[in-house]
Amino acid sequence: MTRKKKPLPLLENVTIEDVAAEGKALARVNDMVVFVPFVVPGDVVDLQVTRKKHHYCEAEAVRFIKKSDVRETPMCEHFGICGGCKWQNLPYEEQLKAKQRQVFDQLTRIGKIPLPEFRHIMGSVKTSEYRNKLEFGCSNRRWLTKEQIAAGTVYDNMNAIGFHITGAFDKILPIEKCWLMDDLHNRIRNSIRDYALGTGMTFFDLRQQHGLLRDIMIRNSNTGEWMVLIQFHYDEKDDEQRAMALMAHIADSFPEITSLLYVNNQKCNDTFGDLELTVFKGNDHIYETMEGLKFKVGPKSFYQTNTEQAYHLYAVAREFAALTGNELVYDLYTGTGTIANFVARNAREVIGIEYVPEAIEDAKVNSAINGITNTKFYAGDMKDILNDEFIATHGRPDVIITDPPRAGMHQDVTDTILRAMPKRIVYVSCNPSTQARDLALLDVAYKVTEVQPVDMFPHTPHVENVVLLQLK
């Protein structure tokens, strides 16, 4: 016989005490820490435990007894289901306080190194419509909310365009209006949805790997340009014809789109970095501008998704680099060379290294179109390229600026940096926990002298952090 699991408890009249990691809040009940999403400090609620461990549990609010005085009314109709903007119910000033504390906690708890007094977090210029890029999944498995299931809601079909639901890889929450990007992106997405439904176009089935309409990427820029990339999955003989009819509909309906592209993706995932894209209309790129510089951004390019705040982030990095015009600078994880070109006018030479070859080609173009002649760019895995031989060939850097992915830097990279011994290291991070780990590795030769948190993603728990390390 199988043992029956004990029902998980209902916790009554619980006061939410603080903001926790991953966009959750926390309470304490009989020495048990309880993590709860979509509540704020000061809320008094009944909680249904959904997962129980020895020292903590997870729960969801099933009844609000008293709502907190600091609670904000979420602007988005999808709040609480989508999961993308988990802090819309928390005033922005409170979000900034939580992010400042998050950086401090992670650098002190994980890094365990001497730290200076932190600068106050730099809030985002915009708190809505701040993103320049969004991706939407297209699926024949629409996500139904608990309320819809309880009401017995029935749809003619289950096709949907929107965001993937956490923990349900093949299900899509249909999005009517998202506040993260200029409203034109909503009109484009909803027009694609209406056309596809009206013409009987099939939506992708991630489990069975069939269905024509698969994924949508929308980008815009501060030059007023728009890029739309549609991923298709051709199954039937007339699928290409159907796809081109949709592309023509998009082009005719939205003359604002200056770069309209598509791809037939037959892979098991939605990544397209290794696929050849086709331009249906316009160019294969758009341009961003920053402090008089132009940056070419292609569909495969990485560019900071909060354009206005990216300028302030890079300005901090440049300030910390303290360039006089005589320095050799290495820009690690350079992407499309945004930071490299941004600081080049203040340096003798800047060498950028990046894993994605297409991004490196864009970086070279970005230097050329801005008349910058003191940059060099190299493509390849950082731990393989940045070695003693590379430094012997190109010169020992005076300053290293590094902006790695969330996983941080490979230890081979930190070891090479320690052997290179630059005077200053400017470490830009989108994940303070891995940054803290790397700072501990660099502590043998460097001391942290400045810490500047920067908020790039309002209403989310994500935070960027810029650290200056100086040779001891």
Side-chain angles (χ1 to χ4, degrees):
M1 291 179 60
T2 58
R3 295 175 59 188
K4 287 186 178 180
K5 290 185 177 180
K6 289 183 180 179
L8 294 170
L10 177 70
L11 308 176
E12 297 181 306
N13 202 33
V14 177
T15 300
I16 303 300
E17 298 178 15
D18 205 350
V19 176
E22 299 177 0
K24 297 177 183 177
L26 67 83
R28 291 177 177 85
V29 179
N30 298 328
D31 297 326
M32 173 74 75
V33 176
V34 187
F35 295 103
V36 191
F38 306 120
V39 294
V40 302
D43 283 340
V44 182
V45 291
D46 289 346
L47 299 175
Q48 176 59 60
V49 175
T50 57
R51 187 182 181 204
K52 194 172 188 301
K53 297 291 185 180
H54 289 297
H55 303 294
Y56 73 93
C57 62
E58 298 176 11
E60 59 184 25
V62 292
R63 185 169 77 97
F64 281 83
I65 299 167
K66 178 182 179 296
K67 291 192 174 181
S68 170
D69 293 337
V70 301
R71 171 175 281 274
E72 188 93 353
T73 301
M75 57 186 163
C76 181
E77 64 187 274
H78 305 293
F79 175 79
I81 308 169
C82 166
C85 299
K86 296 178 180 178
W87 280 354
Q88 276 191 19
N89 56 358
L90 192 64
Y92 189 54
E93 283 303 314
E94 296 300 318
Q95 295 179 32
L96 293 178
K97 290 177 186 176
K99 294 184 183 192
Q100 178 98 9
R101 190 166 65 247
Q102 176 188 335
V103 173
F104 179 82
D105 290 347
Q106 291 178 329
L107 262 59
T108 53
R109 178 173 52 83
I110 299 172
K112 294 183 174 65
I113 58 173
L115 294 167
E117 182 177 349
F118 289 19
R119 295 187 180 189
H120 184 68
I121 186 170
M122 187 178 291
S124 178
V125 177
K126 297 166 69 175
T127 58
S128 66
E129 298 188 354
Y130 62 83
R131 287 186 67 100
N132 58 39
K133 177 187 175 185
L134 284 174
E135 294 186 64
F136 298 94
C138 309
S139 173
N140 66 345
R141 296 175 184 267
R142 177 192 183 111
W143 175 263
L144 296 178
T145 65
K146 292 179 180 178
E147 292 76 15
Q148 289 170 330
I149 294 171
T153 306
V154 177
Y155 292 93
D156 293 337
N157 64 62
M158 296 294 284
N159 293 332
I161 299 178
F163 294 130
H164 285 275
I165 288 290
T166 303
F169 77 96
D170 62 331
K171 289 186 172 62
I172 291 289
L173 174 70
I175 298 295
E176 184 65 31
K177 178 178 175 64
C178 176
W179 291 80
L180 289 176
M181 196 175 184
D182 183 286
D183 190 60
L184 178 60
H185 96 276
N186 287 311
R187 290 188 278 128
I188 293 171
R189 183 193 63 254
N190 291 340
S191 177
I192 293 171
R193 175 201 63 198
D194 294 344
Y195 179 91
L197 293 173
T199 58
M201 184 175 288
T202 57
F203 285 50
F204 195 61
D205 186 318
L206 198 57
R207 290 182 182 271
Q208 301 299 322
Q209 292 287 302
H210 66 73
L212 179 56
L213 189 57
R214 181 166 185 165
D215 196 81
I216 302 168
M217 183 188 78
I218 304 176
R219 301 184 91 142
N220 68 356
S221 71
N222 60 5
T223 60
E225 296 175 285
W226 285 79
M227 171 186 289
V228 176
L229 167 67
I230 309 293
Q231 290 196 48
F232 295 107
H233 184 276
Y234 296 164
D235 295 312
E236 310 294 337
K237 62 180 180 180
D238 61 346
D239 273 355
E240 184 172 6
Q241 182 180 349
R242 286 172 173 267
M244 293 307 99
L246 172 60
M247 299 300 291
H249 165 76
I250 299 170
D252 294 341
S253 302
F254 299 98
E256 301 96 330
I257 298 173
T258 56
S259 175
L260 182 56
L261 310 101
Y262 67 94
V263 63
N264 174 24
N265 184 354
Q266 295 291 321
K267 300 191 306 177
C268 292
N269 60 66
D270 292 333
T271 60
F272 55 85
D274 56 341
L275 300 178
E276 184 175 348
L277 311 181
T278 303
V279 176
F280 184 86
K281 172 198 168 187
N283 304 313
D284 65 352
H285 61 273
I286 57 179
Y287 285 105
E288 291 276 7
T289 61
M290 185 179 292
E291 207 177 66
L293 301 173
K294 288 179 66 177
F295 295 99
K296 177 184 176 185
V297 181
K300 300 179 183 180
S301 301
F302 170 78
Y303 193 87
Q304 289 283 358
T305 50
N306 186 337
T307 301
E308 290 190 52
Q309 195 68 350
Y311 168 69
H312 297 287
L313 180 75
Y314 296 157
V316 171
R318 183 175 60 189
E319 175 200 343
F320 284 3
L323 303 175
T324 64
N326 298 317
E327 293 86 1
L328 172 60
V329 179
Y330 280 14
D331 180 27
L332 310 185
Y333 313 92
T334 190
T336 55
T338 314
I339 293 180
N341 286 299
F342 187 71
V343 304
R345 68 184 71 175
N346 303 101
R348 171 168 54 86
E349 184 177 49
V350 182
I351 294 175
I353 304 173
E354 165 62 38
Y355 180 75
V356 181
E358 291 88 351
I360 284 296
E361 293 308 309
D362 283 346
K364 293 175 181 177
V365 170
N366 286 333
S367 287
I369 63 178
N370 289 292
I372 296 171
T373 59
N374 62 333
T375 57
K376 295 176 182 175
F377 296 99
Y378 299 90
D381 192 312
M382 188 66 62
K383 66 179 174 26
D384 298 330
I385 284 195
L386 186 69
N387 53 33
D388 296 340
E389 183 180 353
F390 184 93
I391 291 170
T393 301
H394 297 281
R396 189 176 299 277
D398 301 295
V399 176
I400 285 181
I401 301 174
T402 181
D403 186 4
R406 290 191 63 79
M409 295 190 292
H410 192 281
Q411 187 168 346
D412 288 354
V413 177
T414 57
D415 288 345
T416 302
I417 291 174
L418 287 170
R419 290 194 297 274
M421 299 289 277
K423 297 174 185 175
R424 291 180 296 284
I425 302 168
V426 181
Y427 191 146
V428 183
S429 173
C430 60
N431 187 354
S433 62
T434 55
Q435 183 186 48
R437 177 204 66 202
D438 294 344
L439 295 180
L441 294 174
L442 295 168
D443 183 61
V444 294
Y446 289 87
K447 63 177 179 180
V448 175
T449 58
E450 295 283 359
V451 179
Q452 175 66 74
V454 181
D455 184 27
M456 301 289 287
F457 305 104
H459 312 305
T460 79
H462 301 297
V463 60
E464 299 259 341
N465 191 45
V466 189
V467 167
L468 172 61
L469 301 102
Q470 294 186 313
L471 197 60
K472 289 181 179 178

